[in-house]
């Protein structure tokens, strides 16, 4: 490997490390979360990003090796020498690339199939000892492993019945990789078809501040309703835990330690004294005690203190605490989003041409730095005008990219004539640096559409990547597990799109080191034929269904206004968006003039008087019962109340981290 190849590979690895660290810092919080969670998530994300960044280099080196093999074949056949092949400046030997892919791929497989699922289930298990938690995690992942074993068994039986194939360790390895890729491709069909349509639509909606503000109002009420439900559930479970602890006859009882662990977990949640008691350690409220007694009497075990009841309650408490903390983070995000959009909407009609804010400052760190660098004048034109047009232009570009990807997915299996635009572009620029850039952008867009769908679907509403250090540990583990599961088959699918799979391309003599490790899907003909035929059809049908919102329309015809688990329903459901779009946007508010340079510049404009005091807008949005309210056309957005609510959320003391399991503290107990 040349010095330039060493340098470029090291540069890519450093870029991946910095990118992974910055993203993990943006979404996670290593000071508050377990180091093992941060470390494993960092490795999982880094391995997936390395596949995306190094694969274009592998493609470039493959073109050089294909040229050498073509020259040798031409010299042997005709006795004439072909034009000299130009070695890429960042060429890496095949032996090194195969070893590199072997380490990366099997590390991803170990994380996604063994370590991360067991780690996640271990942390959520309600048992009180290590052996019980391990058994519970294996049972929890039984269905997950059985689907893989079923695909592996089908592939093995098919290959075993073919007389022309001798089964050895290499064939078993290829069968295992094929089963894993097939499992991932099924998910990719669901996620990619939705993401190719919804990602451009979301970017376009973000470029319309008025519509985004109405959606933010509705989402604020909806998230607050979910938070109230989770708080009530947690309060009831905490009261039940205290009731069970009171049933212990004495400290010598065999279940006394476990009951005390559950009671301490309930007290650490801060809801033993009711939602209004903060972190109070007092006795539960009368209503909570009555509800707990009803749950004890109606339980199928017949009431009383049992090991099974403690395990079940321990698991329910862990889940309820996680849901309550996640809803609190989402509510904080919804407050900040509404504040930001209200700032933009109120400044768009201003004649001051200075960007002015309401009370409080809830911009991100990057937003505050941008404000200090640009100044209020440039910030006004950027946020009120240029940002909207830039987002709409980006949405048009993403829509064209989605159309290109859909066409490539529907035509990649046609060997001749080549109808895939990506394959024509890559084949025309063999060995050029532009080829690597095109491949990197294409793979990155496919990954972005796939992962965008994962965290938008209501099926996975429990897991969500929340920015500004608000993502919980379970969501980080789930994201690492899913990234490692989907990235390898997605990159293998991309090699088929650009006709770099030697079993799909007619004139290619060399194959990439990545394909050499992963093998070909045509080892199992039923799977290869299904991928070539049904994979494009399924993606196209799901994309059309997403474009026309068929899922929302079907549920609306059935009288279901809110989907509870449909695959085509996102977190912000289509019916809710339609209702919001039909409403008249509230009039822009008049901001009080601030002091300083901006206030001096605004002094000549005397007719712009500050808006009257407002105190009920967000209070009515966040009613005690959590029900969303209808927005009146003449209601002004009471922005100071929104910012005051954010300040209260930020200043509220958070419950201390809880410990689960035995008193010694397990490895994953704080997750």
């Amino acid at each position: 490997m040349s010095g330039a190849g060493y340098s470029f590979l090291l540069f890519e690895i450093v870029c991946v490390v910095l990118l992974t660290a910055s993203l993990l810092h943006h979404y996670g919080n290593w000071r508050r979360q377990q180091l093992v969670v941060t470390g494993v998530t960092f490795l999982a994300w880094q391995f997936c990003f390395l596949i995306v960044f190094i694969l274009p280099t592998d493609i470039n080196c493959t073109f050089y090796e294909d040229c050498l093999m073509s020259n040798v074949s031409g010299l042997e056949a005709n006795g004439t020498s072909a034009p000299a092949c130009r070695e890429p400046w960042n060429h890496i030997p095949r032996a090194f690339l195969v070893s590199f892919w072997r380490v990366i791929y099997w590390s991803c497989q170990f994380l996604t199939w063994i370590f991360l699922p067991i780690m996640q289930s271990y942390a959520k298990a309600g048992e009180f000892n290590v052996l019980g938690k391990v058994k519970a995690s294996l049972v929890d992942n039984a269905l997950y492993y059985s689907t893989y074993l079923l695909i592996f068994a089908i592939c093995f039986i098919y290959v075993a019945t073919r007389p022309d194939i001798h089964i050895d360790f290499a064939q078993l390895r290829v069968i295992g990789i094929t089963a894993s890729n097939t499992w991932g491709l099924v998910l990719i069909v669901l996620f990619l078809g939705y993401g190719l349509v919804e990602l451009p639509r979301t970017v376009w909606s973000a470029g319309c501040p008025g519509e985004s503000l109405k959606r933010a109002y509705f989402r604020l009420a909806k998230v607050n309703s979910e938070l109230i439900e989770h708080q009530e559930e947690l309060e009831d479970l905490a009261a039940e835990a205290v009731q069970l602890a009171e049933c212990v006859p004495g400290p010598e009882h065999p279940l006394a330690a476990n009951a005390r662990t559950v009671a301490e977990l309930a007290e650490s949640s801060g809801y033993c004294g009711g939602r209004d008691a903060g972190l109070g350690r007092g006795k539960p409220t009368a209503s909570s005690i009555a509800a707990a007694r009803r749950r004890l009497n109606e339980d199928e075990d017949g009431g009383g203190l049992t090991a099974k009841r403690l395990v079940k309650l321990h698991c329910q408490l862990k889940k309820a605490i996680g849901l309550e903390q996640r809803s609190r983070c989402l509510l904080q995000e919804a407050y900040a989003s509404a504040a930001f959009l209200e700032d933009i909407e109120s400044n768009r009609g201003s004649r001051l041409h200075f960007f002015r804010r309401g009370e409080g400052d809830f911009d991100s760190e990057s937003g505050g730095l941008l404000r200090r660098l640009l100044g209020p004048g440039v910030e006004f034109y950027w946020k009120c005008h240029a940002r909207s047009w830039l987002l709409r232009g980006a949405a048009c570009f993403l829509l064209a990219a989605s159309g290109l990807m859909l066409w490539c997915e529907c035509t990649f299996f046609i060997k001749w004539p080549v109808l895939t635009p990506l394959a024509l572009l890559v084949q025309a620029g063999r060995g050029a640096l532009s080829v690597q850039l095109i491949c990197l952008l294409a793979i990155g867009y496919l990954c972005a559409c796939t992962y965008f769908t994962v965290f938008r679907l209501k099926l996975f509403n429990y897991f969500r990547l929340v920015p500004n250090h608000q993502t919980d540990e379970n969501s980080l583990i789930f994201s690492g597990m899913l990234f490692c599961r989907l990235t390898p088959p997605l990159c293998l699918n991309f090699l088929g799109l650009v006709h770099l799979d030697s079993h799909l391309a007619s004139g290619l003599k060399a194959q990439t080191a990545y394909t050499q490790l992963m093998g070909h899907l045509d080892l199992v003909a039923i799977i290869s034929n299904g991928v070539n035929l049904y994979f494009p059809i399924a993606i196209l049908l799901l994309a059309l269904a997403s474009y026309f919102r068929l899922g929302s329309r079907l549920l609306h015809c059935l009288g279901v206004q809110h989907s509870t688990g449909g695959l085509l329903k996102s977190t912000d459901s289509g019916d809710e968006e339609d209702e919001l779009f039909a409403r008249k946007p509230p009039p822009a508010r008049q901001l009080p003039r601030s002091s300083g340079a901006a206030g001096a510049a605004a002094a000549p404009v005397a007719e712009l008087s500050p808006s009257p005091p407002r105190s009920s807008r967000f209070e009515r949005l966040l009613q005690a019962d959590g029900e969303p309210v209808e927005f009146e056309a003449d209601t002004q957005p009471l922005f100071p109340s929104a910012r005051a609510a954010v300040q209260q959320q930020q200043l509220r003391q958070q419950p201390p981290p809880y410990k689960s399991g035995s008193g010694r503290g397990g490895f994953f107990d704080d997750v």
Side-chain angles (χ1 to χ4, degrees), residues 105-119 121 137-138 141-152 176-185 187 480-482 484-486 488-489:
Y105 177 77
W106 290 113
S107 299
C108 289
Q109 295 304 301
F110 173 76
L111 289 175
T112 189
W113 288 105
I114 300 177
F115 188 77
L116 289 178
I118 293 179
M119 178 182 178
S121 300
S137 61
L138 292 177
N141 291 282
L143 179 62
Y144 174 55
Y145 291 132
S146 62
T147 56
Y148 174 80
L149 292 177
L150 177 62
I151 299 175
F152 180 86
I177 294 176
T178 302
S180 178
N181 291 337
T182 304
W183 206 99
L185 286 174
L187 294 180
M481 181 171 59
L482 207 60
C484 290
R485 191 179 309 160
L486 297 181

Side-chain angles (χ1 to χ4, degrees), residues 416-430 497-499:
W416 183 261
V418 179
L419 301 178
T420 306
L422 274 179
L424 296 175
L425 287 175
V426 172
Q427 297 289 341
R430 285 172 169 251
L497 294 185
V498 296
H499 284 201

Side-chain angles (χ1 to χ4, degrees), residues 402-600:
S402 296
L404 176 65
M405 292 301 172
L406 282 174
W407 177 262
C408 293
E409 292 286 357
C410 295
T411 59
F412 78 94
F413 56 90
I414 301 177
K415 297 182 179 180
W416 183 261
V418 179
L419 301 178
T420 306
L422 274 179
L424 296 175
L425 287 175
V426 172
Q427 297 289 341
R430 285 172 169 251
L433 184 61
S434 59
V435 172
Q436 292 187 244
L437 183 60
I438 292 174
C439 294
L440 180 61
L441 293 177
I443 299 174
Y445 186 67
L446 289 175
C447 293
C449 292
T450 303
Y451 301 143
F452 170 82
T453 307
V454 170
F455 297 99
R456 277 290 300 270
L457 294 183
K458 205 172 182 63
L459 178 65
F460 298 106
N461 201 27
Y462 180 73
F463 307 101
R464 178 160 182 170
L465 292 179
V466 184
N468 298 325
H469 322 291
Q470 299 298 324
T471 306
D472 60 283
E473 290 93 339
N474 280 328
S475 296
L476 289 177
I477 296 174
F478 178 77
S479 66
M481 181 171 59
L482 207 60
F483 288 177
C484 290
R485 191 179 309 160
L486 297 181
T487 302
L490 190 62
C491 291
L492 188 63
N493 171 252
F494 172 77
L495 292 177
L497 294 185
V498 296
H499 284 201
L500 283 176
D501 189 338
S502 59
H503 290 205
L504 291 177
S506 55
L508 191 66
K509 294 182 173 58
Q511 62 181 357
T512 62
Y514 188 79
T515 308
Q516 182 177 342
L517 171 69
M518 300 284 286
H520 304 277
L521 289 178
D522 57 0
L523 176 67
V524 183
I526 53 176
I527 293 181
S528 63
N529 295 334
V531 168
N532 293 339
L533 179 61
Y534 300 109
F535 185 84
I537 295 177
I539 290 181
L540 183 60
L541 291 179
L542 284 173
L544 292 176
S546 302
Y547 180 79
F548 292 106
R549 298 184 183 274
L550 296 184
S552 301
R553 297 176 186 274
L554 178 61
L555 291 174
H556 182 73
C557 294
L558 296 176
V560 180
Q561 297 299 326
H562 300 281
S563 175
T564 57
L567 286 178
L568 293 176
K569 293 286 287 184
S570 61
T571 303
D572 300 322
S573 63
D575 293 331
E576 296 170 358
E577 293 177 0
D578 293 340
E579 295 175 5
L580 288 174
F581 292 159
R583 295 171 182 155
K584 182 179 179 181
R589 62 189 174 89
Q590 302 288 347
L591 281 176
R593 291 177 291 186
S594 59
S595 59

Side-chain angles (χ1 to χ4, degrees), residues 364-377:
S364 61
E365 298 175 0
S366 59
L369 178 62
L370 181 66
R371 182 174 68 251
R372 289 191 295 269
L373 292 177
L374 297 182

